[in-house]
Amino acid sequence: MLESLRRIVQEVNNAPDLERALTIIVQRVKQAVGADVCSVYLNDFDNRRHVLHATDGLRAKAVGRVRLELGRGLIGLVSERAEPINLDDAVSHPRYQRITDTGEEHYHGFLGAPIIQNRKVLGVLVLRQREKRHFGDDEVTFVVTLASQLAGAITFARTNGELARLQDDGIPQRFLPGLPASPGIGIGTAVVVYPPADLNAVPDRRAENLDNEAKDFLGAVEHVAEDLDRFAVRTQAHLSAEDMALFDAWRLMLESDTLIDGTLSRIRAGNWAPGALRETIAEHAKVFDDMDDAYLRERASDVRDLGRCILTHLQKLTAAPIQYVPNTILVGDELSAMQIADVPREMLAGIVSTTGSGSSHVGILARGMGVPAAMAVADLPVGRVEGRELVVDGYRGRVYVAPGPTVRAEYQRLAEDDAALTSELQALRHLPAETTDGYLVPLYLNTGLVSEARPLGIEESAGVGLYRTELPFIVRDTFPGEAAQMSNYRQVLELFAPRPVTIRTLDIGGDKPLPYFPMHEANPFLGWRGIRITLDQPEIFLTQVRAILRASIGLDNLQILLPMISTVGEVDEALLLIHRAHDELLEEGYQVRLPPIGVMIEVPAAVYQCEALARRVDFLSVGTNDLTQYLLAVDRNNAHVAKLYDEFHPAVLRALLQILAGARVHGREVSVCGEMAGDPLATFLLLGMGVHSLSMGAGSLLRVKRVIRSISRARAREVLKVALQCEDAASVRRLLLDALEAVGLGGLVRPGK
Ligand code: PEP
Ligand code: MG
């Protein structure tokens, strides 16, 4: 059953549209369970009904015609209860309802399983048997598991189908939901980026020169053939004749008409070579996937491997720089900071990722750059949107593909409001971040996620509150040496001098692994990360600290920040190493001053030991991104639990109060450098609590400054007092939104004036 399950899910995932996906489901499930009928009803919420969308066993004509009022019959019961219902004799059930237009006789055996995604019932998968039949536990588990796996595929195929139809007859398009990651409205053209040699991620693209595409494809096939020959010669001595036959089989597959002619004819139909190859391989692999013989079925993965090899060569042959267009909306399944940084800033109008969340590093980067972004737009068929017009609503995390004239006009208006807001904010650039009752809150910049000669926000910030040092480590294939690091740090220290620059020591691990420093961990966020790595590998830490200290000579605007601290021992050890590096440098004749040193409070343990930590260092900086993740046990990058990730959770607010109290005992200042600092809603709370400074991405500086200049500290305290009485994040959020609207600044966190 497990094998059938895997195959069905794979087939459904490869289906070109919803109709095909559902047909596959009903046929395969009916066969696997040996039922008389298998049908899928999907819920049409707009018209409050269940509609028969596919069947194997009932009259084909009934598809689309049978419509049951939402909540009626046994289908309605499954949907209502959101749990499977298994009846030996459905006819005797009070909710039984015979549907005549399906050509139904009385079916006795009934098994219905809800198809659920994100707590919402999308439809019902139903099995029927003429005779009385009690479906066994195995069968129920099989159908329930399949239904849960299918929810995503159904949503995906539905979107695919809608998009495909849109091209033909212009059916209006609904938005695709995702998570808000960076405020603003982006209207532009999709440019899809995808990881190399990932055949499934290759988009369709119109070929510019068919002959060249065909030539490249044949060239790549030739290269793979040569590789195979070379491997065969190399491994001859170690393999049996039987195993060597595998190479012949691959050669045959590679040179088969199905592969060559299939791809060439798709190229002739207008697709570029990688897209044509993807379609051919998917079709070819499916033939094997459908075979009953287990050995032959395994050949499907050989076909896919072969496809990947050809694609690798194709990409080598055709590796041209990506062509960005004015108003590029960058789209990808798993965008990286590097891919975003590759787009000239003046061309980048928006960012859409099918995975991640607002608090992942790509979301942080988008906000830092002030580019509207939506993450976790899981239903976006990435392979089909290249070159199409997209609207990104970064406030609500929505994406429209090829919007109709009404939607487009509305968003154009909102984009104009946004542009007006941006220019209005520019007027604040040289004004202090001071409340109406004269309280100054210095606003610092978070930078370092991408390499830029002149980061945005230099002039409007009080300095750098968080310089993330991971980048130079990530973009190389070995650890950077002291000199290379020093020149990096010197650049940023010089750029902001005499304003302070807080450089954080290396925080790799978690979602920032190094390609040349493999770590295989079941729970990377709870694993070897940040200070834990650098204390275990003191040579890495010492080299970095020496580079940081040397970079500050003569400027003296440096502060050092230690990430991921969870024990006082870590601070003591790190301080010892910093002092050692400092002493060494003095001995070597460098005139270097010991800078203020601070720790990040981003692990719950550090909150409870705040006082002991504050006693050891000069300042504290709260990393609310990790603190929220660890306090709420919600992975900050996981779209499935993103709804639970909320910095306004009462537990986070109480942790912040505790940190401030601990720091106060030793007279230490507390800064917030997580994303919460850049959220205009949070300004009321942080100001009310008495946080000394805030550090944020450049895109947030003026928005937050606008709030600070519009309210008094007394008002912030009042709002905080009410917020602390709220028992959940949603109530806190509502309260803050009302407070922001009351001073006429709601437009900072939602579209429109
Ligand atoms: C944080 O965790 O809030 C933080 C600022 O660090 P990073 O986002 O780099 O983990
Ligand atoms: Mg962190």
Side-chain angles (χ1 to χ4, degrees):
M1 283 248 160
L2 192 64
E3 183 51 28
S4 312
L5 190 74
R6 195 187 59 76
R7 281 169 55 201
I8 300 174
V9 170
Q10 194 168 35
E11 271 189 69
V12 169
N13 281 335
N14 290 333
D17 55 38
L18 182 62
E19 262 48 64
R20 184 71 205 128
L22 295 182
T23 308
I24 295 169
I25 295 168
V26 291
Q27 288 174 351
R28 300 289 183 272
V29 175
K30 178 180 162 220
Q31 193 187 10
V33 181
D36 291 326
V37 177
C38 180
S39 312
V40 172
Y41 290 81
L42 294 188
N43 295 356
D44 172 359
F45 297 103
D46 293 342
N47 298 302
R48 298 201 36 80
R49 59 199 184 188
H50 311 281
V51 180
L52 178 70
H53 264 258
T55 182
D56 186 354
L58 301 179
R59 253 191 237 137
K61 270 206 226 140
V63 170
R65 294 225 186 119
V66 175
R67 295 162 186 179
L68 312 171
E69 218 178 283
L70 224 51
R72 275 188 64 202
L74 289 171
I75 310 290
L77 193 63
V78 176
S79 185
E80 227 168 82
R81 289 198 188 159
E83 62 180 15
I85 293 183
N86 185 6
L87 303 170
D88 317 15
D89 185 17
V91 177
S92 59
H93 192 281
R95 287 280 289 259
Y96 178 78
Q97 185 193 7
R98 180 157 173 238
I99 309 152
T100 43
D101 22 0
T102 54
E104 261 191 38
E105 310 145 36
H106 281 298
Y107 284 96
H108 292 272
F110 174 98
L111 172 60
I115 302 170
I116 304 180
Q117 193 180 39
N118 285 341
R119 305 180 185 193
K120 188 168 174 185
V121 180
L122 303 180
V124 179
L125 179 63
V126 189
L127 286 171
R128 295 223 157 131
Q129 200 76 31
R130 272 186 204 96
E131 312 305 323
K132 287 188 182 168
R133 168 172 178 181
H134 187 77
F135 291 93
D137 280 355
D138 274 4
E139 289 157 341
V140 175
T141 322
F142 172 74
V143 172
V144 168
T145 314
L146 192 62
S148 71
Q149 300 254 352
L150 292 178
I154 286 176
T155 317
F156 183 79
R158 188 181 245 167
T159 318
N160 250 345
E162 274 180 15
L163 285 177
R165 265 183 274 139
L166 185 74
Q167 272 167 331
D168 300 331
D169 59 22
I171 288 172
Q173 159 84 70
R174 280 190 305 153
F175 66 83
L176 304 174
L179 298 169
S182 174
I185 305 295
I187 304 178
T189 308
V191 174
V192 177
V193 288
Y194 51 95
D198 180 352
L199 207 50
N200 290 331
V202 167
D204 286 338
R205 199 171 274 175
R206 188 135 284 284
E208 284 182 7
N209 182 325
L210 300 184
D211 290 341
N212 284 352
E213 294 297 319
K215 204 164 101 237
D216 286 342
F217 166 66
L218 292 173
V221 169
E222 180 120 9
H223 276 294
V224 176
E226 285 164 15
D227 285 351
L228 283 177
D229 288 348
R230 227 168 334 116
F231 292 151
V233 171
R234 214 187 296 155
T235 47
Q236 214 161 18
H238 315 288
L239 291 181
S240 66
E242 210 173 291
D243 289 337
M244 286 300 292
L246 254 183
F247 286 101
D248 297 334
W250 278 335
R251 274 304 282 259
L252 283 176
M253 245 182 234
L254 183 66
E255 284 155 10
S256 70
D257 290 349
T258 332
L259 183 67
I260 305 281
D261 294 349
T263 309
L264 288 176
S265 76
R266 288 186 162 101
I267 291 175
R268 277 194 296 276
N271 207 350
W272 68 326
L277 177 69
R278 186 204 71 227
E279 281 188 60
T280 310
I281 293 289
E283 186 184 82
H284 199 29
K286 189 178 164 300
V287 174
F288 286 101
D289 274 333
D290 285 349
M291 293 189 176
D292 288 328
D293 181 283
Y295 174 81
L296 287 176
R297 258 195 331 263
E298 272 308 300
R299 303 288 65 77
S301 60
D302 291 345
V303 174
R304 292 193 183 96
D305 279 349
L306 215 51
R308 263 191 296 276
C309 295
I310 302 172
L311 181 67
T312 308
H313 281 289
L314 254 181
Q315 287 175 336
K316 272 191 216 146
L317 286 171
T318 58
I322 300 172
Q323 294 298 318
Y324 300 111
V325 291
N327 295 321
T328 287
I329 307 278
L330 198 68
V331 176
D333 278 323
E334 222 165 297
L335 290 173
S336 69
M338 240 63 76
Q339 286 167 328
I340 294 173
D342 193 49
V343 192
R345 176 63 191 88
E346 67 286 0
M347 286 195 166
L348 187 58
I351 295 172
V352 181
S353 171
T354 60
T355 57
S357 72
S359 39
S360 55
H361 282 94
V362 167
I364 294 175
L365 181 59
R367 276 196 294 283
M369 295 168 75
V371 179
M375 309 285 289
V377 187
D379 303 338
L380 185 75
V382 169
R384 294 176 182 231
V385 295
E386 173 83 17
R388 308 189 69 172
E389 187 177 54
L390 298 189
V391 167
V392 183
D393 176 344
Y395 289 102
R396 290 177 288 201
R398 295 178 176 177
V399 174
Y400 292 81
V401 182
T406 326
V407 172
R408 198 181 186 293
E410 173 62 6
Y411 271 98
Q412 193 62 49
R413 188 183 66 73
L414 293 174
E416 280 157 21
D417 285 354
D418 237 43
L421 174 71
T422 308
S423 67
E424 195 185 302
L425 290 176
Q426 290 305 311
L428 306 176
R429 284 182 70 186
H430 300 289
L431 299 176
E434 191 176 5
T435 57
T436 53
D437 47 357
Y439 185 75
L440 206 66
V441 191
L443 301 186
Y444 291 90
L445 192 63
N446 288 354
T447 180
L449 270 180
V450 285
S451 105
E452 17 178 25
R454 285 187 64 78
L456 295 169
I458 299 181
E459 283 160 37
E460 47 272 59
S461 66
V464 175
L466 172 65
Y467 180 73
R468 293 180 167 98
T469 57
E470 292 72 53
L471 187 72
F473 287 78
I474 292 172
V475 294
R476 288 162 188 261
D477 38 24
T478 57
F479 284 104
E482 186 175 315
Q485 289 191 50
M486 190 181 86
S487 86
N488 242 302
Y489 307 142
R490 179 85 191 171
Q491 217 179 342
V492 60
L493 286 161
E494 261 174 0
L495 203 57
F496 284 87
R499 288 169 290 170
V501 172
T502 306
I503 297 185
R504 181 176 73 181
T505 63
L506 197 57
D507 185 26
I508 45 166
D511 64 340
K512 291 173 284 187
L514 296 185
Y516 48 89
F517 197 61
M519 292 176 251
H520 299 289
E521 300 180 299
N523 286 310
F525 275 112
L526 301 183
W528 210 35
R529 193 191 156 184
I531 198 78
R532 301 171 181 182
I533 296 185
T534 49
L535 290 181
D536 285 350
Q537 305 281 147
E539 75 288 5
I540 300 176
F541 190 70
L542 282 168
T543 308
Q544 185 178 36
V545 171
R546 282 177 57 98
I548 295 174
L549 293 175
R550 280 179 61 195
S552 73
I553 292 175
L555 296 171
D556 297 325
N557 57 340
L558 168 69
Q559 306 202 104
I560 292 181
L561 184 58
L562 305 169
M564 272 297 288
I565 295 293
S566 59
T567 68
V568 292
E570 286 166 342
V571 180
D572 293 339
E573 261 185 83
L575 290 175
L576 218 65
L577 289 172
I578 294 173
H579 284 112
R580 194 171 116 195
H582 179 241
D583 291 347
E584 273 173 22
L585 289 171
L586 290 179
E587 270 170 35
E588 289 166 32
Y590 292 108
Q591 296 298 308
V592 49
R593 283 232 312 254
L594 198 63
I597 298 168
V599 295
M600 287 198 72
I601 307 294
E602 47 184 352
V603 175
V607 174
Y608 294 109
Q609 284 211 288
C610 217
E611 204 185 310
L613 292 169
R615 181 152 50 81
R616 288 167 164 79
V617 292
D618 303 297
F619 65 96
L620 304 180
S621 188
V622 189
T624 47
N625 308 338
D626 278 313
L627 186 59
T628 307
Q629 139 165 292
Y630 292 126
L631 271 176
L632 308 186
V634 176
D635 178 348
R636 62 195 263 192
N637 294 314
N638 183 341
H640 285 293
V641 287
K643 270 197 206 130
L644 295 173
Y645 183 101
D646 199 323
E647 289 138 345
F648 296 140
H649 191 293
V652 179
L653 307 190
R654 293 213 150 54
L656 282 163
L657 289 176
Q658 182 147 351
I659 296 167
L660 282 154
R664 207 173 298 124
V665 175
H666 299 285
R668 305 289 186 249
E669 293 205 343
V670 176
S671 154
V672 173
C673 68
E675 291 306 294
M676 187 178 189
D679 183 347
L681 288 176
T683 310
F684 288 93
L685 303 177
L686 301 178
L687 203 63
M689 289 179 189
V691 167
H692 300 90
S693 62
L694 302 172
S695 191
M696 62 200 75
S700 308
L701 278 171
L702 296 178
R703 288 175 190 257
V704 172
K705 192 188 276 190
R706 182 87 171 83
V707 182
I708 292 177
R709 291 183 58 83
S710 308
I711 60 175
S712 66
R713 197 163 171 223
R715 170 73 187 135
R717 284 193 175 125
E718 271 168 31
V719 175
L720 172 67
K721 202 166 154 204
V722 183
L724 289 172
Q725 282 156 19
C726 297
E727 292 184 348
D728 60 19
S731 320
V732 176
R733 198 169 279 283
R734 265 195 308 275
L735 169 78
L736 297 174
L737 194 56
D738 287 348
L740 203 60
E741 295 282 6
V743 285
L745 296 181
L748 292 172
V749 294
R750 53 151 175 79
K753 281 187 191 146

Short mmCIF file of all heavy atoms in Angstrom, two decimals, residues 9 11 13 251 316 363 377 393 451 461 503 525 556 574 593 608 623 670 679 703 742:
data_model
loop_
_atom_site.label_atom_id
_atom_site.label_comp_id
_atom_site.label_asym_id
_atom_site.label_seq_id
_atom_site.Cartn_x
_atom_site.Cartn_y
_atom_site.Cartn_z
N VAL A 9 0.84 9.69 -5.31
CA VAL A 9 1.16 11.09 -4.97
C VAL A 9 2.10 11.68 -6.02
O VAL A 9 1.92 12.81 -6.49
CB VAL A 9 1.79 11.17 -3.56
CG1 VAL A 9 2.34 12.56 -3.29
CG2 VAL A 9 0.75 10.82 -2.52
N GLU A 11 2.42 10.79 -9.17
CA GLU A 11 1.69 11.02 -10.42
C GLU A 11 0.83 12.28 -10.34
O GLU A 11 0.77 13.07 -11.27
CB GLU A 11 0.76 9.85 -10.69
CG GLU A 11 1.39 8.74 -11.48
CD GLU A 11 0.31 7.75 -11.86
OE1 GLU A 11 -0.55 8.10 -12.68
OE2 GLU A 11 0.30 6.64 -11.29
N ASN A 13 1.31 14.80 -8.43
CA ASN A 13 2.16 15.99 -8.44
C ASN A 13 2.61 16.35 -9.84
O ASN A 13 2.87 17.52 -10.13
CB ASN A 13 3.39 15.78 -7.54
CG ASN A 13 3.02 15.95 -6.09
OD1 ASN A 13 2.05 16.63 -5.77
ND2 ASN A 13 3.75 15.31 -5.21
N ARG A 251 22.73 4.08 -22.28
CA ARG A 251 23.00 4.58 -23.64
C ARG A 251 21.75 4.46 -24.50
O ARG A 251 21.39 5.37 -25.24
CB ARG A 251 24.13 3.77 -24.31
CG ARG A 251 25.55 4.23 -24.02
CD ARG A 251 25.74 5.67 -24.39
NE ARG A 251 25.91 5.92 -25.80
CZ ARG A 251 27.08 6.14 -26.38
NH1 ARG A 251 28.17 6.13 -25.69
NH2 ARG A 251 27.15 6.40 -27.66
N LYS A 316 25.52 24.30 -18.61
CA LYS A 316 26.90 24.74 -18.86
C LYS A 316 27.00 25.40 -20.23
O LYS A 316 27.66 26.40 -20.42
CB LYS A 316 27.84 23.53 -18.82
CG LYS A 316 28.35 23.22 -17.43
CD LYS A 316 29.47 22.21 -17.50
CE LYS A 316 29.38 21.26 -16.31
NZ LYS A 316 29.81 19.91 -16.60
N GLY A 363 13.30 37.20 3.83
CA GLY A 363 12.30 38.20 4.20
C GLY A 363 12.97 39.42 4.83
O GLY A 363 12.63 40.57 4.52
N VAL A 377 4.20 31.54 -0.91
CA VAL A 377 3.06 31.54 -1.84
C VAL A 377 3.08 30.16 -2.50
O VAL A 377 3.49 29.98 -3.65
CB VAL A 377 3.20 32.67 -2.89
CG1 VAL A 377 1.93 32.79 -3.73
CG2 VAL A 377 3.47 33.99 -2.18
N ASP A 393 1.41 42.08 -3.30
CA ASP A 393 0.93 42.90 -2.20
C ASP A 393 1.72 42.47 -0.96
O ASP A 393 1.40 41.46 -0.33
CB ASP A 393 -0.58 42.67 -2.02
CG ASP A 393 -1.15 43.42 -0.83
OD1 ASP A 393 -0.36 43.86 0.04
OD2 ASP A 393 -2.38 43.56 -0.75
N SER A 451 26.43 41.88 0.09
CA SER A 451 27.60 42.75 0.05
C SER A 451 27.25 43.98 -0.78
O SER A 451 26.78 43.88 -1.90
CB SER A 451 28.78 41.98 -0.53
OG SER A 451 29.05 42.37 -1.81
N SER A 461 20.59 56.79 9.63
CA SER A 461 20.74 55.97 10.83
C SER A 461 21.78 56.55 11.78
O SER A 461 22.64 57.33 11.39
CB SER A 461 21.17 54.55 10.43
OG SER A 461 22.45 54.59 9.85
N ILE A 503 29.52 44.97 15.44
CA ILE A 503 29.81 43.81 14.59
C ILE A 503 29.53 42.54 15.39
O ILE A 503 30.06 42.36 16.50
CB ILE A 503 31.27 43.83 14.10
CG1 ILE A 503 31.48 45.08 13.22
CG2 ILE A 503 31.60 42.56 13.33
CD1 ILE A 503 32.85 45.17 12.57
N PHE A 525 18.49 24.25 14.28
CA PHE A 525 18.29 25.44 15.09
C PHE A 525 18.54 25.18 16.58
O PHE A 525 18.72 26.10 17.36
CB PHE A 525 16.88 26.00 14.90
CG PHE A 525 16.79 26.92 13.71
CD1 PHE A 525 16.07 26.57 12.58
CD2 PHE A 525 17.45 28.14 13.71
CE1 PHE A 525 16.00 27.41 11.48
CE2 PHE A 525 17.39 29.00 12.63
CZ PHE A 525 16.66 28.63 11.51
N ASP A 556 37.90 53.65 16.34
CA ASP A 556 37.33 53.51 17.68
C ASP A 556 35.81 53.67 17.73
O ASP A 556 35.28 54.23 18.68
CB ASP A 556 38.01 54.49 18.65
CG ASP A 556 39.49 54.15 18.78
OD1 ASP A 556 39.82 52.95 18.74
OD2 ASP A 556 40.31 55.09 18.87
N ALA A 574 34.16 33.54 25.83
CA ALA A 574 34.31 34.44 24.68
C ALA A 574 35.10 35.68 25.09
O ALA A 574 35.98 36.14 24.36
CB ALA A 574 32.94 34.83 24.13
N ARG A 593 42.16 49.44 20.72
CA ARG A 593 41.42 49.63 21.98
C ARG A 593 40.40 48.51 22.15
O ARG A 593 39.82 48.04 21.17
CB ARG A 593 40.67 50.97 21.93
CG ARG A 593 41.57 52.15 22.15
CD ARG A 593 41.02 53.09 23.26
NE ARG A 593 39.61 53.40 23.09
CZ ARG A 593 39.16 54.58 22.67
NH1 ARG A 593 40.02 55.53 22.34
NH2 ARG A 593 37.87 54.82 22.59
N TYR A 608 16.17 34.53 31.29
CA TYR A 608 16.11 34.28 32.73
C TYR A 608 17.42 34.60 33.44
O TYR A 608 17.46 34.75 34.64
CB TYR A 608 15.71 32.82 32.99
CG TYR A 608 14.29 32.56 32.53
CD1 TYR A 608 14.03 31.79 31.40
CD2 TYR A 608 13.22 33.13 33.21
CE1 TYR A 608 12.73 31.58 30.97
CE2 TYR A 608 11.92 32.93 32.78
CZ TYR A 608 11.68 32.15 31.66
OH TYR A 608 10.40 31.96 31.24
N GLY A 623 17.57 39.76 20.11
CA GLY A 623 17.29 39.19 18.78
C GLY A 623 15.90 38.59 18.82
O GLY A 623 15.72 37.41 19.14
N VAL A 670 19.72 48.49 26.64
CA VAL A 670 19.16 47.38 25.86
C VAL A 670 18.71 47.90 24.50
O VAL A 670 17.98 48.89 24.41
CB VAL A 670 17.94 46.76 26.59
CG1 VAL A 670 17.30 45.67 25.73
CG2 VAL A 670 18.35 46.20 27.94
N ASP A 679 9.13 47.11 12.99
CA ASP A 679 7.69 47.05 12.76
C ASP A 679 7.03 48.27 13.41
O ASP A 679 7.05 48.40 14.64
CB ASP A 679 7.14 45.74 13.37
CG ASP A 679 5.66 45.57 13.12
OD1 ASP A 679 4.99 46.54 12.70
OD2 ASP A 679 5.16 44.45 13.34
N ARG A 703 9.88 54.64 8.42
CA ARG A 703 8.53 54.29 8.88
C ARG A 703 8.48 54.36 10.41
O ARG A 703 7.55 54.89 10.99
CB ARG A 703 8.15 52.88 8.42
CG ARG A 703 7.86 52.80 6.94
CD ARG A 703 7.60 51.37 6.49
NE ARG A 703 7.56 51.33 5.04
CZ ARG A 703 6.44 51.24 4.32
NH1 ARG A 703 5.29 51.13 4.90
NH2 ARG A 703 6.49 51.24 3.00
N ALA A 742 -5.20 55.68 14.96
CA ALA A 742 -5.64 56.87 15.70
C ALA A 742 -4.72 58.06 15.47
O ALA A 742 -5.15 59.21 15.57
CB ALA A 742 -5.73 56.54 17.19
#
